[in-house]
Amino acid sequence: MEISNKCRAITPSMTLEMDAKAKKMKAEGIDVIGFGAGEPDFDTPSFIKEAAKEALDKGLTKYTPASGTIELRKAICAKFERRNGLHYTPEQIVVSNGAKHSLFNAFAAILNDGDEVILPSPYWVTYPELIRYHGGVPVYVETTAENGFCPQLSDIEKALSSKTKAILVNSPCNPTGAVYGAALLEGIAKLAQQADCYVISDEIYEELIYDGETHVSIASFGPEIQERTILVNGLSKVYAMTGWRIGYTASNLAVAKAMGSLQSHATSNPNSIAMYASVAAMNGPRDEIDVMRSAFDRRRKYMLDRIAAIDGLSAPTPRGAFYVALNISKLIGKTYRGKAIRNSLDFADLLLEGANVAVVPGAAFGDDGFCRLSYAMSDKDIEIGLDRIAAFVAELA
């Protein structure tokens, strides 16, 4: 007996793989500093947890509409009006089991076999796997640190073909922290309109932006681009609600209906308690968001200063999210205790083995010249981890 070709073709997430290695070592009593997982170290704000308790006390534990409760979909619509200047109706919103599930639904709704999706690289590890699972073909557009890891419009235009079904936008970006400016986003919107294709815009990190940058949603450049854009967002990152698993999409009615129908058979509704708490999150005070953002910003600056002082390492300044793209290209070809560093995977494995520090190799994101470090962790752990990285690099021959 065999498993399906689709599932055999899926590569396990290297991010979770490295995180699992680090956790296994910790369980064995080894002091490991993990820069790997993209999860805020803050607790979910108390008023959100209180709302979940209230939902339990009220007995709100039954099935809801498959696309989410009307109360949460209204709160999401209000958020789009308030923050992004975009008008949606509740019928255009589909609430899912995390933003990853929302992306799964989005690709399922629009892709046929052989359809192409333009994907700037470096990219989040899950994008190409989801595209291929649904029969699509990722078409990579390389970006560079010199351009802030933002794609060039000319490169996107060259990548367009008669098979292009969508352009994927992720700003702020995982893994680079890149933030796309208004001019770039407007240019991508025009290209999508000319090519008559969709835009899938993953905006999960929209609240985590620094250095005076402003988040701009690509759907805000007029009704035509809004009609062809599938916005993806969720509560995991900004509200420290990773385990609650609430993500959502906003799209045109036809796409929303297709995603809702799929979800009704795949998972039915998201967790009813989590949705009730999510309404409180979206309508509640923002003080704790500001505290988290300030902490991430402080850690970001500290990490960049420390990296700049380590000979052989560098990192472009990320403007959003909570990741640093650590450039290790100058270390390729060196050895650690007789073992060669041939690529980012070697670097990550040897760093974990020799210094008890976990990072995610850039190969997972489509660029073997760097490793991703998260600063969604305590200041003390960041300090200790960077001390260990500096000692590790100093030992290379």
Side-chain angles (χ1 to χ4, degrees), residues 18-19 22-23 26 31-39 352 356-360 372-378 381-382 385 388:
M18 291 302 295
D19 192 48
K23 286 177 178 176
K26 286 182 178 180
D31 178 23
V32 175
I33 299 295
F35 285 102
E39 180 174 40
L352 184 58
N356 297 340
V357 173
V359 299
V360 186
R372 191 192 76 176
L373 275 65
S374 169
Y375 47 90
M377 51 195 290
S378 74
D381 280 351
I382 291 173
R388 293 180 185 180

Short mmCIF file of all heavy atoms in Angstrom, two decimals, residues 18-19 22-23 26 31-39 352 356-360 372-378 381-382 385 388:
data_model
loop_
_atom_site.label_atom_id
_atom_site.label_comp_id
_atom_site.label_asym_id
_atom_site.label_seq_id
_atom_site.Cartn_x
_atom_site.Cartn_y
_atom_site.Cartn_z
N MET A 18 13.89 22.07 13.18
CA MET A 18 14.96 22.59 14.02
C MET A 18 14.44 22.86 15.44
O MET A 18 15.14 22.62 16.43
CB MET A 18 15.54 23.88 13.42
CG MET A 18 16.33 23.67 12.13
SD MET A 18 17.74 22.55 12.31
CE MET A 18 18.77 23.46 13.45
N ASP A 19 13.20 23.35 15.53
CA ASP A 19 12.61 23.60 16.83
C ASP A 19 12.45 22.30 17.61
O ASP A 19 12.69 22.25 18.82
CB ASP A 19 11.25 24.29 16.66
CG ASP A 19 10.70 24.84 17.97
OD1 ASP A 19 11.46 25.51 18.69
OD2 ASP A 19 9.52 24.59 18.26
N ALA A 22 15.82 21.21 19.00
CA ALA A 22 16.17 22.01 20.17
C ALA A 22 15.38 21.57 21.39
O ALA A 22 15.92 21.44 22.50
CB ALA A 22 15.93 23.48 19.88
N LYS A 23 14.08 21.30 21.22
CA LYS A 23 13.24 20.89 22.34
C LYS A 23 13.65 19.51 22.86
O LYS A 23 13.59 19.24 24.07
CB LYS A 23 11.77 20.90 21.92
CG LYS A 23 11.19 22.31 21.81
CD LYS A 23 9.76 22.31 21.33
CE LYS A 23 9.21 23.74 21.28
NZ LYS A 23 7.83 23.79 20.71
N LYS A 26 16.63 20.07 24.98
CA LYS A 26 16.22 20.66 26.26
C LYS A 26 15.62 19.60 27.18
O LYS A 26 15.87 19.59 28.39
CB LYS A 26 15.20 21.77 26.01
CG LYS A 26 15.79 23.06 25.45
CD LYS A 26 14.71 24.12 25.29
CE LYS A 26 15.29 25.43 24.77
NZ LYS A 26 14.25 26.48 24.61
N ASP A 31 21.14 22.83 27.94
CA ASP A 31 20.76 24.25 27.92
C ASP A 31 20.85 24.79 26.50
O ASP A 31 21.92 25.18 26.04
CB ASP A 31 21.68 25.05 28.85
CG ASP A 31 21.37 26.53 28.85
OD1 ASP A 31 20.22 26.89 28.51
OD2 ASP A 31 22.26 27.33 29.18
N VAL A 32 19.74 24.80 25.79
CA VAL A 32 19.70 25.23 24.39
C VAL A 32 19.00 26.59 24.28
O VAL A 32 17.96 26.81 24.89
CB VAL A 32 18.96 24.20 23.51
CG1 VAL A 32 18.81 24.71 22.08
CG2 VAL A 32 19.68 22.86 23.53
N ILE A 33 19.59 27.47 23.50
CA ILE A 33 18.95 28.75 23.16
C ILE A 33 18.36 28.60 21.76
O ILE A 33 19.07 28.32 20.80
CB ILE A 33 19.95 29.92 23.18
CG1 ILE A 33 20.57 30.09 24.57
CG2 ILE A 33 19.26 31.21 22.73
CD1 ILE A 33 19.61 30.50 25.64
N GLY A 34 17.05 28.75 21.65
CA GLY A 34 16.38 28.55 20.37
C GLY A 34 15.95 29.85 19.72
O GLY A 34 15.04 30.51 20.21
N PHE A 35 16.61 30.20 18.60
CA PHE A 35 16.21 31.37 17.82
C PHE A 35 15.25 30.97 16.69
O PHE A 35 15.03 31.72 15.76
CB PHE A 35 17.45 32.01 17.17
CG PHE A 35 18.33 32.79 18.10
CD1 PHE A 35 19.51 32.25 18.58
CD2 PHE A 35 17.98 34.07 18.49
CE1 PHE A 35 20.34 32.98 19.43
CE2 PHE A 35 18.81 34.81 19.34
CZ PHE A 35 19.99 34.25 19.82
N GLY A 36 14.71 29.75 16.76
CA GLY A 36 14.02 29.19 15.61
C GLY A 36 12.56 29.55 15.44
O GLY A 36 12.14 30.02 14.39
N ALA A 37 11.76 29.32 16.46
CA ALA A 37 10.31 29.40 16.26
C ALA A 37 9.81 30.84 16.19
O ALA A 37 10.29 31.71 16.92
CB ALA A 37 9.60 28.67 17.38
N GLY A 38 8.83 31.06 15.32
CA GLY A 38 8.25 32.40 15.18
C GLY A 38 7.05 32.56 16.09
O GLY A 38 5.91 32.68 15.62
N GLU A 39 7.29 32.57 17.38
CA GLU A 39 6.20 32.64 18.35
C GLU A 39 6.52 33.65 19.44
O GLU A 39 7.55 33.54 20.09
CB GLU A 39 5.99 31.25 18.97
CG GLU A 39 4.88 31.19 19.98
CD GLU A 39 4.60 29.77 20.45
OE1 GLU A 39 5.56 29.00 20.66
OE2 GLU A 39 3.42 29.45 20.62
N LEU A 352 24.15 24.13 16.50
CA LEU A 352 23.35 23.44 17.51
C LEU A 352 24.19 22.41 18.25
O LEU A 352 24.14 22.30 19.48
CB LEU A 352 22.14 22.77 16.86
CG LEU A 352 21.15 22.07 17.79
CD1 LEU A 352 20.58 23.04 18.82
CD2 LEU A 352 20.02 21.43 16.98
N ASN A 356 25.01 24.77 21.21
CA ASN A 356 23.67 24.65 21.80
C ASN A 356 22.79 25.85 21.45
O ASN A 356 22.07 26.38 22.29
CB ASN A 356 23.75 24.48 23.32
CG ASN A 356 24.45 23.20 23.74
OD1 ASN A 356 24.57 22.27 22.94
ND2 ASN A 356 24.95 23.16 24.96
N VAL A 357 22.88 26.27 20.19
CA VAL A 357 22.05 27.36 19.68
C VAL A 357 21.32 26.89 18.43
O VAL A 357 21.95 26.35 17.51
CB VAL A 357 22.90 28.61 19.34
CG1 VAL A 357 22.04 29.67 18.65
CG2 VAL A 357 23.53 29.19 20.60
N ALA A 358 20.01 27.08 18.41
CA ALA A 358 19.19 26.65 17.28
C ALA A 358 18.78 27.85 16.43
O ALA A 358 18.22 28.81 16.95
CB ALA A 358 17.95 25.92 17.77
N VAL A 359 19.08 27.77 15.13
CA VAL A 359 18.62 28.74 14.15
C VAL A 359 18.03 27.96 12.99
O VAL A 359 18.20 26.75 12.89
CB VAL A 359 19.78 29.64 13.65
CG1 VAL A 359 20.39 30.43 14.80
CG2 VAL A 359 20.85 28.82 12.94
N VAL A 360 17.33 28.64 12.10
CA VAL A 360 16.74 27.96 10.94
C VAL A 360 17.59 28.24 9.71
O VAL A 360 17.83 29.41 9.39
CB VAL A 360 15.29 28.41 10.69
CG1 VAL A 360 14.66 27.56 9.57
CG2 VAL A 360 14.45 28.28 11.96
N ARG A 372 17.87 32.21 9.58
CA ARG A 372 16.89 33.09 10.21
C ARG A 372 16.99 33.00 11.72
O ARG A 372 17.02 31.91 12.29
CB ARG A 372 15.47 32.71 9.79
CG ARG A 372 14.43 33.76 10.20
CD ARG A 372 13.01 33.23 10.05
NE ARG A 372 12.67 32.30 11.12
CZ ARG A 372 11.46 31.75 11.26
NH1 ARG A 372 10.50 32.02 10.39
NH2 ARG A 372 11.22 30.91 12.26
N LEU A 373 17.05 34.18 12.35
CA LEU A 373 17.00 34.28 13.81
C LEU A 373 15.74 35.05 14.20
O LEU A 373 15.45 36.10 13.63
CB LEU A 373 18.22 35.04 14.35
CG LEU A 373 19.52 34.25 14.60
CD1 LEU A 373 20.08 33.71 13.30
CD2 LEU A 373 20.55 35.14 15.29
N SER A 374 15.02 34.51 15.15
CA SER A 374 13.85 35.21 15.69
C SER A 374 14.25 35.98 16.93
O SER A 374 15.07 35.52 17.72
CB SER A 374 12.75 34.20 16.02
OG SER A 374 11.72 34.82 16.78
N TYR A 375 13.66 37.17 17.10
CA TYR A 375 13.86 37.88 18.36
C TYR A 375 12.56 37.94 19.17
O TYR A 375 12.38 38.80 20.03
CB TYR A 375 14.46 39.27 18.16
CG TYR A 375 13.86 40.15 17.10
CD1 TYR A 375 12.80 41.01 17.39
CD2 TYR A 375 14.37 40.15 15.80
CE1 TYR A 375 12.27 41.84 16.42
CE2 TYR A 375 13.85 40.98 14.82
CZ TYR A 375 12.80 41.82 15.13
OH TYR A 375 12.28 42.64 14.17
N ALA A 376 11.69 36.96 18.92
CA ALA A 376 10.49 36.81 19.74
C ALA A 376 10.83 35.92 20.93
O ALA A 376 10.27 34.83 21.12
CB ALA A 376 9.37 36.21 18.92
N MET A 377 11.78 36.38 21.72
CA MET A 377 12.28 35.62 22.88
C MET A 377 12.84 36.61 23.88
O MET A 377 12.97 37.80 23.58
CB MET A 377 13.35 34.63 22.42
CG MET A 377 14.44 35.25 21.58
SD MET A 377 15.47 34.08 20.68
CE MET A 377 16.37 33.32 22.02
N SER A 378 13.18 36.14 25.05
CA SER A 378 13.58 37.06 26.11
C SER A 378 14.91 37.74 25.80
O SER A 378 15.76 37.20 25.09
CB SER A 378 13.70 36.30 27.44
OG SER A 378 14.87 35.49 27.45
N ASP A 381 17.89 35.58 26.88
CA ASP A 381 18.21 34.47 25.96
C ASP A 381 18.88 34.98 24.69
O ASP A 381 19.78 34.33 24.15
CB ASP A 381 16.94 33.70 25.61
CG ASP A 381 16.54 32.71 26.70
OD1 ASP A 381 17.33 32.50 27.63
OD2 ASP A 381 15.43 32.15 26.61
N ILE A 382 18.44 36.13 24.20
CA ILE A 382 19.08 36.72 23.03
C ILE A 382 20.54 37.03 23.32
O ILE A 382 21.44 36.72 22.52
CB ILE A 382 18.34 37.99 22.57
CG1 ILE A 382 16.96 37.63 22.01
CG2 ILE A 382 19.15 38.74 21.51
CD1 ILE A 382 16.09 38.82 21.69
N GLY A 385 22.47 33.72 23.66
CA GLY A 385 22.57 33.07 22.36
C GLY A 385 23.59 33.74 21.45
O GLY A 385 24.38 33.07 20.77
N ARG A 388 27.11 32.95 22.46
CA ARG A 388 27.50 31.62 21.98
C ARG A 388 27.80 31.62 20.49
O ARG A 388 28.74 30.96 20.03
CB ARG A 388 26.39 30.61 22.29
CG ARG A 388 26.19 30.35 23.78
CD ARG A 388 25.07 29.34 24.01
NE ARG A 388 24.79 29.18 25.43
CZ ARG A 388 23.85 28.35 25.91
NH1 ARG A 388 23.11 27.64 25.08
NH2 ARG A 388 23.67 28.25 27.22
#
